[in-house]
């Protein structure tokens, strides 16, 4: 624990000497980075030891929960059938199998650049407790076990060589209890687990119901101190411009530690001369101290605060899964446009295989997104929201875990963005007759935006025609054959 204690002293000193203090009042002076508000599109990466069984990123939890009916029975049965008893082969035994022998960070970075992403967020540490970076605080990290290389550091270098912004995430909070089921079984998680071990601490969940989830007031101080030191170590070693936190950081016991981390990180950002910020879920952070994130979900209207939607390229998993159910590219692009129209940023997750290769299907989807952004990106990058996010009969279901609940978009659904005196109207589904009618832009509409000087349809081979009447703005364009959204550029005087 000496290294952790030494690190805590450094953290306290940086906060004492810096602009930001560990209070909400001080942290509310934080500003959302300009680069982030302009970037709009990033890539999330769930890659780790859990990619070896390729059965879901929560494998290290559910494999030890045979009596849990929704997931546990399924995962436990799979593990026993494929790897044997939990006593003889536990989660830690996957670590030597995680070799990343084909990992090519330069190739990854090239793909993300081609996909049109402006920032990239690999997971530094997931709930399983294995660090994908070079840590001085634990032996269970990628430079000392498994790949035997600094997976995070190598990717950061490759990204920045291509002018992509490096960001990262920590999901360690839930490690507190993540694999605790192993204590109730004849497994490799038994007895006194030493500090620093992959399984430490594996405490029993300190709550009984979902209603209690946010109100855990006391946690083991050694774990909280270790969490703070580990997270600040990521900041100091890799200088990410965003640090994303998954769930459970919103518990009462974490609040003062989140305040300390934010103050430390924001002060370090000032030292580096970089604009940095935090992504958080639920009520982990106070309003205006960081950027809220909605997991696998969106908003139903424009938010006055910049926000983020993180979702996965697959409906059933965040990591590589042998049985992944991939989304349609059209749906992903529509969600991107919808999020941007509501003052948000879109973070799309992929899941590489254990050997470091990205599945062919994911590569194909990313390239198709990149092709679309190459043509239509001027209405996305550096844009802002307009008076109204859009129009149409298809409604977005608001909240976390709603990304598969909406109905397909129709030819009557549009989303708006604005930049440099130009209004961009995205037709989420192009009509078969080649004519769109936008009611919001009608002459008698309360949102009528002045004189429409000219209209372009990006990608229309023969140009377009338009007519403004009292009921709608009509735009005709021939030769457009695509399942993806079409961008209409409206010049206004």
């Amino acid at each position: 624990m000496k290294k952790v204690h030494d690190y805590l002293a450094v953290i306290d000193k940086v906060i004492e000497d810096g602009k930001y203090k560990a209070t909400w009042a001080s942290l509310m002076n934080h500003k959302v980075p300009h680069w982030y508000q302009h970037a709009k599109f990033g890539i999330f990466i769930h890659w780790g030891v859990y990619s070896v069984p390729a059965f879901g990123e929560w494998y290290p939890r559910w494999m030890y929960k045979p009596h849990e009916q929704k997931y546990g029975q399924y995962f436990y049965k799979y593990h026993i059938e494929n790897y044997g008893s939990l006593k003889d082969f536990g989660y830690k035994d996957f670590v030597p199998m995680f070799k990343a022998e084909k990992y090519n960070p330069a190739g990854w970075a090239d793909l993300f650049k081609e996909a049109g992403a402006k920032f990239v967020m690999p997971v530094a540490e997931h709930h399983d407790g294995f660090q994908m970076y070079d840590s001085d605080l634990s032996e269970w990290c990628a430079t000392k076990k498994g790949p035997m290389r600094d997976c995070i550091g190598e990717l950061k270098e490759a990204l920045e060589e291509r002018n992509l912004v490096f960001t990262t995430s920590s999901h360690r909070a839930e490690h507190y209890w993540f694999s605790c089921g192993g204590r109730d079984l004849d497994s490799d998680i038994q007895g006194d687990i030493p500090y620093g071990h992959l399984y430490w601490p594996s405490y029993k969940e300190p709550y009984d119901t979902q209603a209690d989830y946010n109100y855990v007031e006391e946690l083991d101080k050694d774990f909280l101190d270790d969490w703070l030191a580990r997270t600040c170590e990521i900041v100091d070693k890799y200088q990410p411009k965003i640090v994303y936190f998954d769930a459970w950081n919103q518990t009462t016991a974490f609040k003062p530690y989140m305040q300390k981390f934010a103050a430390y990180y924001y002060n370090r950002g000032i030292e580096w001369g970089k604009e940095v910020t935090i992504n958080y879920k639920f009520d982990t952070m106070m309003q205006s101290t960081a950027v809220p994130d909605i997991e696998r979900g969106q908003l139903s209207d424009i938010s006055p605060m910049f926000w983020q939607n993180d979702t996965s390229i697959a409906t059933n998993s965040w990591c590589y899964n042998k049985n992944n159910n991939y989304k349609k590219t059209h749906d992903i692009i529509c969600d991107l446009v919808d999020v941007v129209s509501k003052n948000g940023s879109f973070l799309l997750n992929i899941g590489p295989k254990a050997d470091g290769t990205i599945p062919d299907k994911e590569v194909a989807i990313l390239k198709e997104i990149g092709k679309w952004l190459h043509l239509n990106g001027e209405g996305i990058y550096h844009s802002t929201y307009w008076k109204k996010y859009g129009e149409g009969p298809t409604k977005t279901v608001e909240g976390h875990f709603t990304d598969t609940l909406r109905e397909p978009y129709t030819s009557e659904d549009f989303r708006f963005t604005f930049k440099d005196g130009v209004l961009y109207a995205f037709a989420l589904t192009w009509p078969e007759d080649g004519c769109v009618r936008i009611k919001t832009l009608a002459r008698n509409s309360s949102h009528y935006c002045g004189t429409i000087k000219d209209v372009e349809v990006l990608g229309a081979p023969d140009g377009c025609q338009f007519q403004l009447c009292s009921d709608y703005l009509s735009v005709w364009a021939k030769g457009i054959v695509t399942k993806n959204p079409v961008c209409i550029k409206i010049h206004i005087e």
Side-chain angles (χ1 to χ4, degrees):
M1 290 293 291
K2 183 179 179 181
K3 287 183 179 178
V4 170
H5 291 152
D6 291 344
Y7 218 122
L8 295 178
V10 172
I11 293 167
D12 287 340
K13 180 63 174 173
V14 169
I15 297 173
E16 179 184 349
D17 294 344
K19 169 185 174 181
Y20 290 99
K21 309 304 177 185
T23 66
W24 295 133
S26 176
L27 296 171
M28 287 181 73
N29 293 309
H30 169 70
K31 303 297 183 184
V32 179
H34 288 87
W35 71 261
Y36 188 21
Q37 295 180 73
H38 293 161
K40 306 300 183 185
F41 177 43
I43 301 294
F44 209 1
I45 309 169
H46 277 65
W47 184 48
V49 177
Y50 43 80
S51 303
V52 176
F55 216 60
E57 68 283 351
W58 276 52
Y59 193 97
R61 175 160 178 77
W62 298 127
M63 64 182 280
Y64 293 109
K65 288 280 191 177
H67 304 300
E68 198 277 336
Q69 294 183 355
K70 187 175 182 181
Y71 300 110
Q73 293 179 357
Y74 185 49
F75 280 72
Y76 175 78
K77 182 175 183 291
Y78 178 85
H79 186 85
I80 298 301
E81 290 177 351
N82 288 274
Y83 302 103
S85 74
L86 293 175
K87 183 176 182 180
D88 296 329
F89 193 106
Y91 185 70
K92 70 180 187 306
D93 297 300
F94 285 116
V95 174
M97 300 169 67
F98 180 47
K99 299 178 181 179
E101 65 272 21
K102 297 181 181 179
Y103 175 42
N104 178 8
W108 283 22
D110 286 338
L111 175 62
F112 303 150
K113 184 90 171 180
E114 184 178 354
K118 299 300 182 182
F119 64 100
V120 179
M121 183 182 290
V123 173
E125 181 178 350
H126 205 255
H127 309 318
D128 64 347
F130 187 82
Q131 298 158 293
M132 294 293 290
Y133 57 95
D134 181 30
S135 176
D136 297 328
L137 302 175
S138 171
E139 294 299 309
W140 292 88
C141 65
T143 55
K144 300 170 187 175
K145 296 182 187 293
M148 303 299 291
R149 57 194 292 191
D150 186 354
C151 297
I152 293 292
E154 291 179 31
L155 183 58
K156 170 188 165 68
E157 182 178 354
L159 294 171
E160 293 182 344
E161 285 176 355
R162 292 156 178 81
N163 296 315
L164 296 175
V165 176
F166 172 78
T167 67
T168 193
S169 71
S170 170
H171 307 236
R172 183 170 176 78
E174 288 180 302
H175 184 71
Y176 191 85
W177 44 260
F178 200 60
S179 297
C180 66
R183 289 187 178 277
D184 299 325
L185 304 171
D186 186 15
S187 77
D188 62 332
I189 305 179
Q190 291 295 328
D192 292 330
I193 301 173
Y195 167 80
H197 191 277
L198 180 67
Y199 293 151
W200 179 83
S202 294
Y203 287 138
K204 178 179 173 58
E205 293 98 324
Y207 56 86
D208 296 319
T209 67
Q210 186 66 33
D212 297 329
Y213 192 86
N214 295 341
Y215 303 105
V216 179
E217 295 184 357
E218 293 186 11
L219 294 174
D220 181 83
K221 186 176 185 299
D222 285 344
F223 178 82
L224 291 169
D225 287 346
D226 178 80
W227 173 89
L228 180 60
R230 283 183 184 229
T231 315
C232 290
E233 180 187 45
I234 295 170
V235 164
D236 286 334
K237 284 201 168 191
Y238 302 100
Q239 297 187 11
K241 289 189 177 180
I242 301 174
V243 175
Y244 167 110
F245 291 108
D246 200 3
W248 220 56
N249 294 73
Q250 77 269 25
T251 56
T252 304
F254 260 102
K255 294 288 187 180
Y257 285 83
M258 286 301 302
Q259 290 173 321
K260 270 197 168 186
F261 172 76
Y264 182 81
Y265 179 38
Y266 291 167
N267 284 326
R268 284 300 202 204
I270 293 174
E271 292 178 22
W272 307 330
K274 295 182 178 180
E275 293 183 300
V276 302
T277 194
I278 293 169
N279 291 155
Y280 69 95
K281 295 180 182 177
F282 308 111
D283 66 343
T284 296
M285 302 285 287
M286 189 70 71
Q287 178 178 327
S288 300
T289 63
V291 176
D293 177 271
I294 299 179
E295 180 178 353
R296 285 192 179 274
Q298 293 163 229
L299 295 179
S300 60
D301 208 337
I302 295 170
S303 168
M305 294 187 301
F306 189 69
W307 63 287
Q308 180 170 270
N309 157 246
D310 74 295
T311 192
S312 184
I313 203 166
T315 63
N316 60 318
S317 182
W318 289 88
C319 73
Y320 171 66
N321 189 318
K322 299 169 186 175
N323 301 309
N324 261 347
N325 178 33
Y326 289 109
K327 296 177 179 178
K328 296 178 180 178
T329 307
H330 170 260
D331 290 333
I332 294 172
I333 294 175
C334 284
D335 288 341
L336 163 63
V337 175
D338 181 74
V339 168
V340 172
S341 74
K342 296 170 181 174
N343 196 29
S345 174
F346 187 73
L347 181 63
L348 178 66
N349 177 76
I350 65 165
K353 297 179 180 181
D355 65 4
T357 59
I358 298 174
D360 291 343
K361 180 65 174 178
E362 300 185 13
V363 170
I365 292 172
L366 290 179
K367 287 186 175 182
E368 189 174 352
I369 294 171
K371 184 178 180 181
W372 183 87
L373 281 167
H374 181 73
L375 176 63
N376 302 284
E378 66 173 275
I380 299 295
Y381 306 125
H382 298 274
S383 70
T384 186
Y385 55 94
W386 190 56
K387 304 174 185 178
K388 182 181 179 183
Y389 72 87
E391 69 176 61
T394 308
K395 303 302 180 185
T396 302
V397 181
E398 183 166 307
H400 294 268
F401 305 104
T402 61
D403 63 339
T404 60
L405 299 183
R406 68 162 171 79
E407 296 297 320
Y409 286 115
T410 72
S411 59
E412 297 179 19
D413 288 300
F414 300 90
R415 293 294 181 267
F416 304 123
T417 63
F418 188 76
K419 181 174 70 177
D420 299 333
V422 174
L423 175 63
Y424 295 89
F426 290 87
L428 299 183
T429 297
W430 189 254
E432 292 183 3
D433 66 1
C435 179
V436 297
R437 298 167 178 84
I438 309 174
K439 296 177 181 178
T440 299
L441 303 181
R443 185 175 285 114
N444 64 359
S445 167
S446 61
H447 296 92
Y448 181 63
C449 51
T451 303
I452 295 177
K453 181 180 179 181
D454 194 17
V455 174
E456 301 176 53
V457 176
L458 302 187
D462 300 316
C464 71
Q465 296 177 305
F466 71 95
Q467 182 176 357
L468 181 64
C469 63
S470 59
D471 295 325
Y472 39 72
L473 169 67
S474 297
V475 182
W476 296 269
K478 296 181 180 180
I480 293 180
V481 181
T482 181
K483 294 181 180 179
N484 294 324
V486 173
C487 183
I488 303 167
K489 184 176 182 180
I490 303 168
H491 300 265
I492 304 168
E493 280 189 342

